[in-house]
Amino acid sequence: MKPGGRFTLMSWNVLDDAYITESMYPLCDPDDLRGGVRRARVLDRVSSLDADVITLQECSADLLEALRARLPDHCVARTTCGRTGLAVLVR
């Protein structure tokens, strides 16, 4: 939390890999749509924003575990709906 009780919040639909096809995203570089590349970029971006509260939609269990490792000062909650769910990380 920031001085004065202020905090930063980010919310992002990270788009689970199961929903990605090149035909759905024809303007994207195909390399950017590959799971490993996307996951690394999502991890880097979320980490770099240094938010106090992070909410991620379509977050898979493996992405959440990677975020846990990157953001050890955040408490984690996750609800699921099939393969993905809503993840909330709070510092």
Side-chain angles (χ1 to χ4, degrees):
M1 194 170 296
K2 310 292 186 257
R6 297 181 352 184
F7 63 91
T8 54
L9 171 97
M10 74 161 291
S11 180
W12 188 7
N13 184 321
V14 293
L15 187 61
D16 185 67
D17 292 341
Y19 306 120
I20 295 175
T21 63
E22 287 185 34
S23 63
M24 289 180 67
Y25 300 95
L27 301 179
C28 291
D29 181 334
D31 289 340
D32 292 339
L33 299 178
R34 285 191 305 201
V37 172
R38 285 186 64 254
R39 178 181 158 155
R41 289 181 180 173
V42 167
L43 290 169
D44 289 346
R45 184 65 175 152
V46 171
S47 299
S48 74
L49 292 175
D50 194 35
D52 298 305
V53 179
I54 302 164
T55 62
L56 302 173
Q57 299 81 41
E58 296 185 27
C59 184
S60 64
D62 61 322
L63 176 59
L64 183 58
E65 288 308 311
L67 284 165
R68 256 188 234 262
R70 281 267 186 118
L71 303 169
D73 58 337
H74 284 72
C75 297
V76 176
R78 180 173 183 262
T79 62
T80 60
C81 180
R83 183 180 134 68
T84 66
L86 171 67
V88 180
L89 297 89
V90 179
R91 178 172 34 214

